[in-house]
C-alpha cells in the first residue's frame, strides 16, 4: 500500500464494567455492558467497516467486549491482545498505531478511557457533521465507537492527521 492509501482507525471503548473486589485488570463486564457490546458490533457490521486487525487490551472487560462485538461481525479479523493498551497514555497509543503493518487498511483498537477519548480528540484534525460535538458532549461513554480516516502510512499518524467521520454510542 502506498502513502496515499486511505486508512481507518476505529476506536472502541470497552463496555460497562462491574466493580467486584478484584484487581482493576480483572473487572468483568456488568449486565449493562453485556447488552451494549453486541449493539456496538451490530452498528459496526451495519457500517460495513471490517477491520483487518484488532488490537485489544488484555484486561478482562476489553476481552469480553471484543468477544461480544466480534460475534456480530460477518467475519472476525485477526486479533492481537496488546499489553501496552492497558492504561495506555496518548503517546503510547500513537506509538502502537505507528507500528501497524502497512498491509492493514482498517485498524480497530479496543481500549480504555481516558486514553481512547484522548486519542480520538488528538487525531481528529477535521470532522464530519456533528461527530465531535456528540463525542465531546458524551465524554466517550462505554461501548462508544469513533471512526477516523486518513491517508498515508501508519508511521505518519500524529496529532491532527485524521478526519473524525463517525461517532456512535449506545445511548443517543
Amino acid at each position: 500500500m502506498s502513502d496515499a492509501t486511505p486508512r481507518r482507525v476505529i476506536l472502541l471503548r470497552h463496555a460497562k464494567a462491574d466493580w467486584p473486589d478484584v484487581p482493576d485488570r480483572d473487572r468483568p463486564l456488568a449486565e449493562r455492558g453485556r447488552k451494549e457490546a453486541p449493539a456496538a458490533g451490530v452498528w459496526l457490521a451495519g457500517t460495513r467497516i471490517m477491520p483487518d486487525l484488532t488490537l485489544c487490551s488484555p484486561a478482562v472487560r476489553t476481552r469480553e467486549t471484543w468477544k461480544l462485538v466480534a460475534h456480530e461481525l460477518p467475519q472476525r479479523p485477526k486479533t492481537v491482545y496488546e499489553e501496552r493498551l492497558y492504561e495506555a497514555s496518548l503517546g503510547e497509543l500513537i506509538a502502537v498505531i505507528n507500528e501497524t503493518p502497512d498491509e492493514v487498511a482498517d485498524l480497530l483498537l479496543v481500549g480504555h478511557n481516558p486514553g481512547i477519548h484522548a486519542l480520538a480528540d488528538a487525531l481528529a484534525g477535521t470532522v464530519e457533521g456533528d461527530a465531535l460535538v456528540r463525542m465531546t458532549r458524551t465524554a466517550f461513554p462505554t461501548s462508544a465507537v469513533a471512526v477516523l480516516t486518513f491517508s498515508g502510512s501508519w508511521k505518519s499518524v500524529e496529532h491532527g492527521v485524521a478526519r473524525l467521520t463517525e461517532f456512535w454510542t449506545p445511548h443517543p
Side-chain angles (χ1 to χ4, degrees):
M1 293 186 178
S2 74
D3 282 349
T5 300
R7 300 185 192 274
R8 284 187 284 212
V9 179
I10 303 106
L11 305 177
L12 169 63
R13 183 178 176 199
H14 66 78
K16 181 70 176 168
D18 209 349
W19 289 92
D21 189 19
V22 298
D24 181 70
R25 230 184 132 92
D26 297 332
R27 290 176 45 219
L29 291 182
E31 183 62 32
R32 186 177 106 197
R34 287 190 292 277
K35 291 177 182 170
E36 290 176 351
V42 168
W43 181 83
L44 272 173
T47 65
R48 301 193 192 281
I49 296 171
M50 263 313 304
D52 302 306
L53 174 64
T54 296
L55 300 178
C56 183
S57 162
V60 169
R61 61 192 177 274
T62 49
R63 292 173 73 102
E64 289 180 351
T65 298
W66 174 234
K67 181 178 177 183
L68 292 167
V69 168
H71 182 72
E72 301 298 330
L73 301 178
Q75 64 185 37
R76 185 183 177 123
K78 177 182 177 185
T79 301
V80 174
Y81 294 96
E82 174 57 60
E83 185 66 40
R84 294 176 295 168
L85 294 183
Y86 180 70
E87 296 186 338
S89 68
L90 174 58
E92 290 166 327
L93 290 168
I94 290 174
V96 167
I97 291 171
N98 291 154
E99 295 170 10
T100 302
D102 286 336
E103 61 271 9
V104 172
D106 294 334
L107 172 68
L108 172 63
L109 295 181
V110 184
H112 311 265
N113 262 2
I116 289 292
H117 189 182
L119 181 61
D121 275 340
L123 296 183
T126 59
V127 180
E128 282 186 18
D130 67 344
L132 184 62
V133 170
R134 288 184 295 111
M135 186 174 76
T136 302
R137 183 182 68 234
T138 62
F140 217 109
T142 54
S143 298
V145 182
V147 179
L148 298 111
T149 62
F150 72 99
S151 294
S153 73
W154 293 106
K155 290 173 182 58
S156 70
V157 170
E158 61 184 23
H159 290 250
V161 74
R163 179 175 187 79
L164 178 64
T165 59
E166 303 272 356
F167 180 73
W168 177 89
T169 177
H171 303 290

